[in-house]
Amino acid sequence: MAKFKLDDTDHKILDMLIDNTRTPFTDIAKKLLISAGTVHVRVKKMEEAGIITGSSLSLDYKKLGYAFIAYVGIYLEKTSQTQFVLNRINEIPYVTVAHVTTGKFNLFCKIRAKDTDHAKNVIFQLDDIDGVYRTETMISLEESLNDKKRLMKSIFDEMTS
Amino acid sequence: MAKFKLDDTDHKILDMLIDNTRTPFTDIAKKLLISAGTVHVRVKKMEEAGIITGSSLSLDYKKLGYAFIAYVGIYLEKTSQTQFVLNRINEIPYVTVAHVTTGKFNLFCKIRAKDTDHAKNVIFQLDDIDGVYRTETMISLEESLNDKKRLMKSIFDEMTS
DNA sequence: GGTGAAAGCACCGAGTT
DNA sequence: AACTCGGTGCTTTCACC
């Protein structure tokens, strides 16, 4: 888990790829005044180092009829059940991410559903897992994703300062 | 925001691209026993319809020294300040996503930081925003992302049933 | 660690069925 | 809507710096 050394060029390559993984390496090369081969080698190295773990499509879930987002906090009967419950949670496809947390809840997850009825169904599934004592739901009325470029820039500035 | 009609072929194309946006269309074509041109046309249509909104790199933030994740619930003095505070929140690069919510909190966000010290700093920034009455933090000890393919499959099964 | 050129493919539009 | 096909341009490798 050691920090990996990224130089200015790596950073600029990531910056151009982060919001469009299909940006041609030739375009990147032109902009950075290096050869396309170099871009290729550097991307490959970042992949091998595990910095770049993959590339994923961004889909508009609203257009697919899945506009409902909620966060569900989960209280367990005993913390020793954490792993078991986490495994059960991850079997539910409508749970997009789950966390083991400190604070109020033992577990915490984000769900994506069609509508309130569907969400109710998912939450009932969560409630029904053995060891779950109680759940608490927060419904998202509006989601605003932050720019990944901004975070990258901060991480990079931090590295080089 | 109407549902878009995706057939089995579209679904299979998305399925192959969702975890690797650089999968060659010729590979997809071979697997689906259609021509690469058809794959191209269908992807383009899904882009035009706004189903596919983009593609993004997945990075290992732990390897970049940003292993700390927390969720912060925000109580406002007045709900009329929601938009103002949301805008301020989105200026902080370490906030990766923010939501307007019902339930306990008025706003809810996810932060990514280097360590507890850094997180403290980010949370103090949130606390300092005009109109924020109080915040409540849940620290993630472990994050487990769910497979996007599984959600896609469920969405698709639902569409065709 | 970078280059530039060359070979191999992929992309993508035009024309056809 | 889907296919084929060809021009264009991207990727990837390799000998060399």
Side-chain angles (χ1 to χ4, degrees):
Chain A
M1 290 304 160
K3 277 200 208 181
F4 183 81
K5 271 198 176 308
L6 294 180
D7 66 13
D8 195 51
T9 305
D10 291 323
H11 169 243
K12 283 175 181 156
I13 291 171
L14 286 181
D15 202 57
M16 289 191 73
L17 286 173
I18 200 155
D19 284 332
N20 180 7
T21 59
R22 280 188 182 264
T23 308
F25 290 0
T26 45
D27 284 7
I28 299 175
K30 251 176 263 167
K31 197 149 183 180
L32 306 191
L33 305 175
I34 55 178
S35 75
T38 302
V39 176
H40 177 240
V41 168
R42 281 176 175 261
V43 168
K44 214 168 161 190
K45 274 188 187 158
M46 290 190 278
E47 280 168 354
E48 278 160 8
I51 299 283
I52 297 174
T53 56
S55 59
S56 75
L57 274 195
S58 313
L59 301 178
D60 185 335
Y61 291 100
K62 282 187 194 170
K63 287 227 169 78
L64 292 168
Y66 280 68
F68 192 97
I69 298 170
Y71 287 91
V72 183
I74 296 170
Y75 297 88
L76 298 179
E77 284 157 8
K78 305 176 204 142
T79 53
S80 59
Q81 297 160 316
T82 304
Q83 193 56 52
F84 170 80
V85 176
L86 188 59
N87 292 343
R88 292 293 84 68
I89 290 174
N90 280 326
E91 286 165 7
I92 303 172
Y94 306 103
V95 173
T96 58
V97 57
H99 294 267
V100 179
T101 55
T102 66
K104 294 174 60 73
F105 309 116
N106 299 107
L107 289 162
F108 191 69
C109 61
K110 181 178 184 176
I111 67 173
R112 183 171 283 284
K114 281 189 290 182
D115 47 37
T116 49
D117 256 24
H118 183 210
K120 185 180 72 180
N121 185 273
V122 174
I123 294 164
F124 283 4
Q125 281 181 58
L126 289 169
D127 267 313
D128 269 355
I129 295 170
D130 270 355
V132 170
Y133 166 62
R134 203 166 76 74
T135 61
E136 205 172 298
T137 303
M138 282 152 282
I139 295 171
S140 168
L141 303 174
E142 184 186 331
E143 179 178 46
S144 116
L145 289 167
N146 211 335
D147 189 3
K148 277 189 168 187
K149 282 196 185 184
R150 202 118 48 89
L151 176 56
M152 269 306 297
K153 181 167 166 28
S154 299
I155 290 176
F156 181 70
D157 287 348
E158 172 64 35
M159 275 182 169
T160 49
S161 65
Chain B
M1 290 306 161
K3 277 202 210 181
F4 184 82
K5 270 199 177 306
L6 294 180
D7 66 12
D8 194 51
T9 305
D10 291 323
H11 168 243
K12 284 175 179 155
I13 292 171
L14 286 181
D15 203 57
M16 289 192 73
L17 285 175
I18 201 155
D19 284 333
N20 180 9
T21 58
R22 280 188 183 263
T23 309
F25 290 2
T26 46
D27 285 7
I28 298 175
K30 252 177 260 169
K31 197 151 184 177
L32 306 190
L33 305 174
I34 55 178
S35 75
T38 303
V39 176
H40 174 237
V41 168
R42 282 174 177 262
V43 168
K44 210 169 161 194
K45 274 189 188 158
M46 290 190 277
E47 281 169 353
E48 278 161 8
I51 298 285
I52 297 174
T53 55
S55 59
S56 74
L57 275 195
S58 313
L59 301 178
D60 185 336
Y61 290 100
K62 282 187 194 169
K63 288 227 169 78
L64 293 170
Y66 280 68
F68 191 98
I69 297 170
Y71 287 91
V72 182
I74 296 169
Y75 298 89
L76 297 179
E77 284 158 8
K78 305 176 203 142
T79 52
S80 59
Q81 296 159 317
T82 303
Q83 193 57 51
F84 170 80
V85 176
L86 188 59
N87 292 344
R88 293 293 85 69
I89 289 173
N90 280 326
E91 285 166 8
I92 304 172
Y94 306 102
V95 172
T96 58
V97 55
H99 294 267
V100 179
T101 56
T102 66
K104 294 175 62 70
F105 308 116
N106 299 107
L107 290 163
F108 192 69
C109 61
K110 182 179 184 176
I111 67 173
R112 183 171 282 285
K114 283 188 288 182
D115 48 36
T116 48
D117 255 25
H118 183 208
K120 185 180 72 177
N121 185 272
V122 175
I123 294 164
F124 282 5
Q125 280 183 59
L126 289 169
D127 266 312
D128 269 355
I129 296 170
D130 269 356
V132 170
Y133 167 61
R134 203 166 76 74
T135 62
E136 206 173 298
T137 304
M138 282 152 280
I139 295 171
S140 168
L141 302 174
E142 185 185 331
E143 179 178 46
S144 115
L145 289 166
N146 212 335
D147 190 2
K148 275 189 167 187
K149 282 194 183 183
R150 200 118 49 90
L151 176 57
M152 268 308 295
K153 183 169 164 27
S154 300
I155 290 177
F156 181 70
D157 287 349
E158 171 65 35
M159 274 181 171
T160 51
S161 66

